Amino acid sequence: MKAHNGMRPQDIIILLKILLAENESWQYRDLSTSLLISVSEIAESLNRSHLAGLIDVTKKKVHRLSIMEFIKYGLHYVFPQRPGAIVTGIATAHSHPFYQNHFESETNYVWEHENGNMRGQSVQPLYKGLANAALQDEELYKMSAGIDIIRVGKAREKKFAIAELEKAIL
C-alpha cells in the first residue's frame, strides 16, 4: 500500500464530480475527460481519498458526511487562498451568478481565463483545468464557486456557501 502524502486540491473536485454522477455509470476515463485530468491522476486521487476515508473501497461511493466535514472544517486550512491581481476571467466565489444574487460586493473574484467576461481579483483554482471543466458542468461550477467562498470569503458568505454545499452533498 502506498503512503498517504496528503490530499491534493484536485481531489476535492474529483469527489464532487463523483457525487454529481452518483446515479450514472462512470469509469476513470469519464472523469478524466470531464475534469481534464489524466486517468493516472484520477486513480492516484481516488487512492488518496480512500486512504483519507473520503471514499469507499470500490472508489465509487463518496462518504458524504466525511467530505462535508472536511470542506466545512479543514478546506480553508489545507488549501488557503489569498486573492491576487486584477485579471479578466470567469466568475468564482461570491461573484458566481448564483451567489451574486445573495451577496452585494464591490470586489469580484475570478479564475483567470482567456474566455472570461469579468474583471476581478484572481483566485487560483484548485487545479489548472478547473475553469474549463466548470464551463462544461454548471453544477460542478456552482459547487466549485462555493468551495472558493470557503477559501476567500467572509464569515456570512462562508456560512451560506456551506449551507448550499450541504444541500448538494448531504
Side-chain angles (χ1 to χ4, degrees):
M1 182 183 292
K2 279 189 165 188
H4 187 276
N5 293 323
M7 299 294 287
R8 294 191 183 156
Q10 65 268 28
D11 298 346
I12 303 306
I13 301 300
I14 291 168
L15 292 171
L16 293 178
K17 185 67 175 181
I18 291 170
L19 285 170
L20 290 171
E22 115 179 296
N23 296 323
E24 304 167 19
S25 176
W26 56 268
Q27 297 178 355
Y28 286 17
R29 71 174 177 254
D30 300 321
L31 293 177
S32 172
T33 301
S34 65
L35 295 174
L36 310 169
I37 298 174
S38 72
V39 172
S40 63
E41 186 52 43
I42 296 287
E44 287 295 318
S45 171
L46 294 178
N47 286 334
R48 287 189 298 269
S49 293
H50 172 63
L51 288 170
L54 299 175
I55 196 164
D56 73 350
V57 69
T58 68
K59 299 179 183 127
K60 295 278 186 173
K61 183 170 173 36
V62 175
H63 297 299
R64 292 171 179 272
L65 290 174
S66 298
I67 187 66
M68 194 62 231
E69 182 176 293
F70 178 74
I71 289 170
K72 193 173 184 178
Y73 300 112
L75 184 87
H76 67 282
Y77 293 112
V78 179
F79 307 120
Q81 178 63 50
R82 289 222 167 107
I86 303 294
V87 298
T88 300
I90 297 167
T92 190
H94 67 265
S95 300
H96 178 279
F98 173 79
Y99 292 106
Q100 244 183 356
N101 292 329
H102 299 278
F103 301 106
E104 284 188 33
S105 176
E106 293 180 14
T107 305
N108 290 322
Y109 292 130
V110 299
W111 294 321
E112 187 171 6
H113 196 274
E114 64 274 3
N115 296 329
N117 60 3
M118 179 181 279
R119 293 213 22 98
Q121 284 190 279
S122 65
V123 172
Q124 198 68 25
L126 287 176
Y127 72 94
K128 187 178 178 181
L130 179 57
N132 288 324
L135 289 174
Q136 299 172 28
D137 183 334
E138 184 58 41
E139 283 300 307
L140 182 66
Y141 180 25
K142 178 183 170 189
M143 292 173 87
S144 299
I147 294 291
D148 280 347
I149 289 174
I150 294 168
R151 295 171 68 211
V152 301
K154 295 180 175 71
R156 187 174 74 91
E157 295 164 349
K158 287 179 182 182
K159 185 177 179 181
F160 185 82
I162 288 168
E164 286 300 313
L165 286 164
E166 284 177 339
K167 287 179 199 174
I169 293 172
L170 303 177

